[in-house]
């Protein structure tokens, strides 16, 4: 029997029933891994009860109040926290949308990986407390328009594809990674003419049907597909 891979996984907080928490659960449930979770905040009542079966280590508290205070408090906590025994793990995973990566300043590991949780918030794992509203909005939606300049990922286009709706986006930043031009959406230049031409193109019923079919078949956002890619990434990192 192969030895399990020992993982230390840091996530700033576990407090809801969202995509981040659901994905962490899938990692914990995977028989390939022996995973310990480290966090600053764990609310058993508001998140999935399945977490109770696993080793969740609360390594500090965030006491600051207000948006700025919480952000500053989190940053200082990330800089000052030291996870004991980190060298005993095969790999150190930091679940982060940016600032949480600061915990690696004092916590060095030769196999450190950032698990960007921005797309995990939405890709087939909608937050329960607004899922009904999203279901209603996207059921009446024809397509989405995403015009943010140099966005790193973008929640809305991922939501749209998860609901099987094509996306019109500027050809910049993160959306270029998952919007396939003419297949599940349209990538356009950030100017009025390109955007208006895209609006006209998508009104063609045959072309629209093609985009909808492409959006519905964006399998890379499926939870099982994500975990398959995750396992392959872990194997690749450990063999380097």
């Amino acid at each position: 029997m192969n030895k399990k891979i020992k993982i230390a996984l840091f996530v700033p907080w576990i407090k809801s029933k969202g995509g981040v928490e659901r994905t962490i659960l899938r990692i914990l449930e995977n028989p390939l891994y022996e995973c310990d979770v480290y966090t600053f905040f764990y609310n058993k009542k508001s998140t999935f009860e399945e977490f109770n079966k696993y080793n969740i280590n609360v390594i500090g508290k965030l006491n600051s109040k207000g948006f700025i205070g919480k952000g500053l408090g989190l940053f200082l906590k990330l800089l000052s926290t030291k996870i004991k025994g980190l060298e005993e793990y095969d790999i150190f995973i930091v679940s982060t949308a940016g600032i949480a990566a600061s915990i690696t300043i004092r916590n060095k590991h030769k196999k450190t990986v950032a698990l960007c949780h921005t797309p995990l918030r939405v890709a087939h794992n909608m937050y329960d407390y607004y899922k009904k509203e999203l279901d209603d909005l996207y059921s009446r939606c024809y397509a989405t328009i995403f015009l943010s300049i140099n966005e790193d990922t973008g929640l809305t286009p991922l939501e749209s594809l998860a609901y099987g709706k094509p996306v019109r986006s500027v050809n910049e930043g993160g959306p270029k990674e998952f919007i396939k031009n003419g297949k599940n959406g349209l990538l356009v230049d950030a100017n009025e003419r390109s955007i208006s031409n895209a609006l006209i193109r998508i009104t063609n019923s045959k072309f629209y049907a093609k985009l909808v079919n492409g959006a519905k078949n964006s399998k890379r956002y499926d939870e099982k597909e994500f975990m398959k890619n995750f396992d392959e990434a872990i194997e690749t990192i450990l063999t380097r």
Side-chain angles (χ1 to χ4, degrees), residues 39-192:
T39 185
F40 293 147
F41 183 80
Y42 173 38
N43 190 328
K44 295 181 180 180
K45 294 181 179 180
S46 61
T47 191
F48 299 106
E49 62 180 21
E50 288 88 345
F51 275 112
N52 294 328
K53 299 186 295 183
Y54 300 101
N55 190 18
I56 310 298
N57 302 279
V58 179
I59 53 176
K61 293 184 178 181
L62 299 174
N63 298 316
S64 300
K65 296 182 179 180
F67 180 77
I68 296 177
K70 286 182 179 179
L72 180 59
L74 173 60
F75 182 63
L76 293 176
K77 194 68 179 176
L78 289 165
L79 293 179
S80 62
T81 296
K82 180 71 174 176
I83 298 175
K84 296 180 180 179
L86 191 61
E87 67 281 354
E88 298 175 5
Y89 294 93
D90 298 310
I91 193 166
F92 179 36
I93 298 176
V94 180
S95 179
T96 174
I99 189 174
S102 302
I103 198 168
T104 60
I105 293 175
R106 290 202 65 200
N107 295 275
K108 304 293 185 182
H109 193 286
K110 60 182 179 180
K111 301 290 185 180
T112 299
V113 179
L115 179 63
C116 180
H117 68 217
T118 302
L120 301 181
R121 295 176 186 270
V122 293
H124 293 281
N125 293 309
M126 312 303 173
Y127 278 131
D128 287 357
Y129 56 75
Y130 66 58
K131 188 177 187 304
K132 289 183 179 180
E133 181 180 354
L134 285 177
D135 287 346
D136 177 60
L137 289 172
Y138 278 106
S139 68
R140 296 183 285 112
C141 169
Y142 185 79
T144 57
I145 303 175
F146 188 74
L147 303 179
S148 296
I149 304 298
N150 287 324
E151 178 66 51
D152 56 352
T153 301
L155 301 183
T156 302
L158 282 170
E159 275 183 349
S160 184
L161 293 177
Y163 276 101
K165 301 292 184 176
V167 185
R168 289 154 293 180
S169 171
V170 291
N171 191 22
E172 299 183 13
K176 293 170 61 177
E177 299 296 323
F178 48 84
I179 297 175
K180 304 305 178 184
N181 194 34
K183 294 183 178 180
N184 60 4
L186 289 173
L187 292 170
V188 301
D189 295 330
N191 60 63
E192 293 180 5

Side-chain angles (χ1 to χ4, degrees), residues 189-202:
D189 295 330
N191 60 63
E192 293 180 5
R193 181 180 293 276
S194 294
I195 294 169
S196 61
N197 286 340
L199 292 173
I200 294 171
R201 284 189 69 192
I202 208 167

Side-chain angles (χ1 to χ4, degrees), residues 213-231:
N213 185 62
K216 289 181 177 179
N217 289 285
S218 297
K219 293 297 185 181
R220 72 167 69 191
Y221 311 114
D222 180 78
E223 191 174 85
K224 291 182 179 179
E225 187 71 14
F226 172 84
M227 288 310 304
K228 176 185 175 184
N229 292 336
F230 178 87
D231 293 342

